[in-house]
Amino acid sequence: MAKKVVKYKKQLAHKRTKRTLSFERRRQLEGLSFMVPWLLGFLIFILIPLALSIKISFYSPTLNDLYRGKYVGLANYKEVIKNPSFGQAVFEAFMNSLYQVPLVVGFALFVAVLLKQEFPGRVIFRVIFFIPVILSGVVMSYLFSEDVGSVSVFSQLVQSNTGFMSRLFGGALTTHIGNIMWSSSVEILIFLAALQSVPDILYEVVELDGANAWERFWHITLPYISPFVILNCIYALVDSFVDARNPVMSILYGLMVQGTKYGVASALSWFYMLLSLITILIFILLTRRWLR
Amino acid sequence: MAQTHVDIEHLKRARKRRDYGAIAITIFLSIGALVSLLPLVYLVCHAFKPMEELFLYPPRFFVKSPTTKNFSDLMNITSESLVPFSRYLFNTVFITVAYLFLLVWIGTMACYPLSKHKFPGHKALFTTVTTALMFVAAAAGIPLYIINTRLGLVDTYWVYIIPGLANPTCLFLLKQFLDQVPDSIFEAGKIDGASEWQLYTKIALPLLRNAQATVVILTFGGIWGDAGTATTYIYREQFKTLAFFMTTIGGGIARAGAQAAAALIMTLPGIIMFILQQSRVMDTMAHSGIK
């Protein structure tokens, strides 16, 4: 009798878990169906074109005959590696990111720490530092294409105040400073968010122990937000790798316009993407011990 | 008594020190803010420059004798366009509104299961999405052209709207924001018998309102100023956008002033949108970063 009851109970329990599982799974499927439109778009307009461009990078297609071009194996990749101008552009792009990323992240961190302080007009400053993000699409390209006598906006400013300013900064240097300030908007916001997550009580404790602002920054702020420093470095790396003003990008656009070199262009872009992925992976591996 | 006196002295000194700090911060940030504002100032100055200042060498940053001639030139050019100017304007407004509406709708729908149903493979999917961000869009240009042609999107309004709807950046942002919302809210809804659709419309959507504003602000500039799609995919003039029309103004020294005026006019809607929505945007950005 007792055995029977136990068996019955077991059956019931089994049934119940089975039923709740299927209910959960049904809910999950229902929720998943919400993703279908997005996934379809992602598949059709991003993944399939990407896959086709891998395929094309092994062929030598022409514009009328994109799919049935001649199979050339790794020839396109060989051309990419052999051509010195490609190699130089890739090298230049990487060197640019190497010096830009630390500067952008450092500047963003500095400004974010300042914007975190209490002072009058804080909100206005936060908005102003975000403006380059809005302008970026339309105006930045206009400003950078607007090279009257190949003089960029910044050197124009310098030359308008001739004398002191132009002696202080060379045209190229000011342009670099401007680039760095304009491309650090999103990083500033991420750091601001991170700084707000540092508990105030930590600052109070070390302040009681007599720590000054400098020590507070190095011993509390920086260790606490180190994951965001790494996140921002990765963001800045990606940003500079896919920047339209990058030398590799201009070569790619040039090859696209010619039309006949489409296989080489695909090979170059995949080669470049792999290099950037490897760089970012190495960076993540190196900094993993600071990630919490 | 003496103790209190010392305390007050100490407080006064502390207050003073902080004031110096605040002044230093304000000065430094003002310089930074000036540099951030430069492109905008330059654009405004440029639009009001008379012809001889536009082609001055060495060029001048600020305008010396401002004129509105550039704007009247622009008006003249618009009156002799191929299709009535209002048609270009209508196209751009229609495309922008439709695109942003669908983008937000599809994006929020996709981020809900990604954030709140930990289905098998959700991590792999999210990694794929974030890796796709890194790819050079130009390389996929020609396959994309073929796909758009096969789907019959070419030469219709759809080609502006559909290909960009699955936007990885937006999904990333929306998902990060929804991750902040505690699961227990959704569980409570489930216990009260809400269906998945109700959980999405009644809980997720209202909570994501700030994130939606951010997505709109960040993508507005791209779609509003999109001239490339019209150049590549649209043959019939009546389906082309305002941004495309603005690019046709350029070319020729005589029209440089009108082009500068056009560039200023094209950026104004984005700036107005941002000023209206800025508090929401700041709020989202402050949340989306925190894990």
Side-chain angles (χ1 to χ4, degrees):
Chain A
M1 187 65 193
K3 257 186 185 171
K4 241 184 190 174
V5 169
V6 168
K7 202 179 170 192
Y8 180 69
K9 270 189 178 166
K10 254 187 192 162
Q11 264 179 359
L12 204 70
H14 184 65
K15 235 182 195 170
R16 198 175 294 144
T17 50
K18 207 179 162 193
R19 257 186 73 192
T20 46
L21 253 183
S22 75
F23 173 74
E24 272 301 306
R25 200 165 291 164
R26 208 178 38 155
R27 292 298 289 247
Q28 218 164 49
L29 279 178
E30 213 179 311
L32 265 179
S33 67
F34 292 177
M35 282 199 82
V36 169
W38 197 91
L39 283 180
L40 270 180
F42 187 63
L43 190 72
I44 295 172
F45 296 107
I46 296 179
L47 282 189
I48 293 180
L50 285 186
L52 282 177
S53 86
I54 297 187
K55 189 189 157 198
I56 290 167
S57 71
F58 291 105
Y59 286 78
S60 74
T62 56
L63 206 53
N64 335 323
D65 194 20
L66 205 53
Y67 291 122
R68 288 177 300 269
K70 214 171 80 210
Y71 178 77
V72 291
L74 285 171
N76 286 330
Y77 286 91
K78 272 181 197 148
E79 195 176 332
V80 166
I81 293 169
K82 271 186 192 156
N83 193 327
S85 69
F86 293 165
Q88 204 186 347
V90 170
F91 179 73
E92 215 175 293
F94 272 83
M95 289 319 275
N96 274 347
S97 332
L98 268 188
Y99 91 87
Q100 258 180 14
V101 168
L103 286 178
V104 164
V105 174
F107 176 76
L109 180 59
F110 186 57
V111 171
V113 168
L114 293 188
L115 285 176
K116 172 84 197 319
Q117 314 294 317
E118 293 284 341
F119 64 93
R122 186 168 71 155
V123 179
I124 299 168
F125 280 114
R126 285 186 181 182
V127 172
I128 290 175
F129 276 101
F130 196 62
I131 279 185
V133 176
I134 317 203
L135 292 184
S136 63
V138 196
V139 192
M140 287 310 193
S141 55
Y142 172 75
L143 287 181
F144 280 96
S145 67
E146 179 70 11
D147 44 10
V148 189
S150 78
V151 188
S152 78
V153 191
F154 267 93
S155 26
Q156 286 190 43
L157 179 68
V158 171
Q159 279 166 3
S160 73
N161 309 332
T162 40
F164 173 70
M165 278 281 271
S166 55
R167 257 180 281 128
L168 197 59
F169 307 108
L173 181 65
T174 29
T175 310
H176 285 309
I177 293 173
N179 275 342
I180 285 158
M181 292 186 76
W182 289 345
S183 47
S184 52
S185 301
V186 177
E187 284 86 345
I188 291 175
L189 282 158
I190 293 174
F191 273 137
L192 261 177
L195 288 172
Q196 272 153 12
S197 73
V198 185
D200 285 339
I201 192 154
L202 288 179
Y203 290 116
E204 280 167 30
V205 168
V206 294
E207 219 161 318
L208 282 177
D209 287 344
N212 59 26
W214 184 251
E215 289 161 344
R216 282 204 299 273
F217 175 77
W218 287 105
H219 295 292
I220 303 290
T221 311
L222 200 58
Y224 207 90
I225 64 167
S226 58
F228 295 95
V229 177
I230 291 158
L231 177 79
N232 260 339
C233 286
I234 294 170
Y235 187 93
L237 267 176
V238 173
D239 205 35
S240 79
F241 283 151
V242 299
D243 187 0
R245 275 172 272 136
N246 179 322
V248 178
M249 294 295 140
S250 44
I251 285 187
L252 272 177
Y253 282 114
L255 288 174
M256 297 289 163
V257 173
Q258 283 178 14
T260 47
K261 290 254 186 176
Y262 195 66
V264 181
S266 298
L268 176 60
S269 63
W270 275 100
F271 178 71
Y272 182 62
M273 186 194 182
L274 281 181
L275 276 184
S276 10
L277 271 181
I278 290 168
T279 316
I280 288 165
L281 270 181
I282 290 173
F283 181 79
I284 291 174
L285 285 178
L286 283 178
T287 55
R288 204 168 45 178
R289 66 198 181 97
W290 284 292
L291 277 172
R292 273 178 297 144
Chain B
M1 195 63 202
Q3 185 61 46
T4 342
H5 181 71
V6 169
D7 272 352
I8 289 169
E9 278 297 296
H10 181 76
L11 273 179
K12 266 186 186 165
R13 224 178 298 141
R15 171 76 56 79
K16 227 176 202 174
R17 204 171 53 215
R18 201 175 301 152
D19 277 350
Y20 285 133
I23 291 167
I25 289 170
T26 317
I27 290 171
F28 176 80
L29 287 179
S30 303
I31 296 169
L34 274 180
V35 178
S36 290
L37 277 176
L38 271 184
L40 192 60
V41 177
Y42 179 76
L43 208 64
V44 175
C45 286
H46 215 60
F48 288 101
K49 275 179 190 167
M51 190 59 76
E52 60 273 17
E53 275 188 58
L54 280 172
F55 291 99
L56 202 64
Y57 194 88
R60 193 184 288 139
F61 188 84
F62 293 108
V63 55
K64 216 169 197 178
S65 44
T67 166
T68 52
K69 188 175 168 294
N70 293 338
F71 291 90
S72 52
D73 278 358
L74 183 64
M75 292 291 280
N76 286 338
I77 294 168
T78 55
S79 64
E80 56 200 43
S81 57
L82 282 173
V83 192
F85 181 71
S86 54
R87 178 69 195 234
Y88 290 118
L89 188 65
F90 167 78
N91 286 349
T92 293
V93 172
F94 171 74
I95 289 162
T96 306
V97 171
Y99 174 75
L100 291 177
F101 175 75
L102 287 173
L103 178 79
V104 166
W105 190 31
I106 288 177
T108 48
M109 256 174 74
C111 82
Y112 166 63
L114 203 56
S115 171
K116 293 300 165 207
H117 289 280
K118 304 289 181 213
F119 56 89
H122 76 277
K123 266 195 182 151
L125 182 65
F126 197 59
T127 316
T128 317
V129 169
T130 34
T131 318
L133 280 178
M134 231 173 283
F135 192 78
V136 184
I142 288 183
L144 188 63
Y145 184 86
I146 294 165
I147 287 169
N148 282 336
T149 317
R150 292 255 171 97
L151 291 175
L153 298 179
V154 171
D155 227 11
T156 62
Y157 282 132
W158 294 116
V159 76
Y160 293 103
I161 299 168
I162 292 178
L165 283 181
N167 186 325
T169 324
C170 295
L171 186 70
F172 181 77
L173 200 71
L174 289 168
K175 187 212 170 248
Q176 293 296 87
F177 192 82
L178 198 60
D179 282 348
Q180 306 300 309
V181 178
D183 290 356
S184 48
I185 297 179
F186 290 91
E187 277 155 23
K190 240 184 242 178
I191 289 166
D192 287 346
S195 68
E196 288 296 314
W197 181 252
Q198 280 169 329
L199 288 179
Y200 162 68
T201 52
K202 297 270 160 64
I203 301 179
L205 269 187
L207 286 173
L208 281 173
R209 207 162 279 157
N210 286 351
Q212 291 169 27
T214 311
V215 165
V216 166
I217 288 288
L218 289 180
T219 45
F220 177 84
I223 184 84
W224 180 264
D226 179 16
T229 312
T231 321
T232 322
Y233 292 107
I234 303 290
Y235 306 113
R236 282 179 290 177
E237 199 65 29
Q238 65 262 37
F239 286 113
K240 293 192 171 176
T241 55
L242 194 61
F244 173 81
F245 174 70
M246 294 298 183
T247 58
T248 59
I249 295 173
I253 291 169
R255 286 179 162 188
Q259 201 191 10
L264 178 64
I265 290 174
M266 285 303 285
T267 55
L268 283 183
I271 293 168
I272 293 169
M273 286 264 296
F274 178 66
I275 291 171
L276 291 179
Q277 303 275 331
Q278 59 87 12
S279 60
R280 285 181 162 186
V281 175
M282 290 295 158
D283 210 35
T284 325
M285 295 307 280
H287 284 289
S288 59
I290 302 168
K291 277 178 192 164

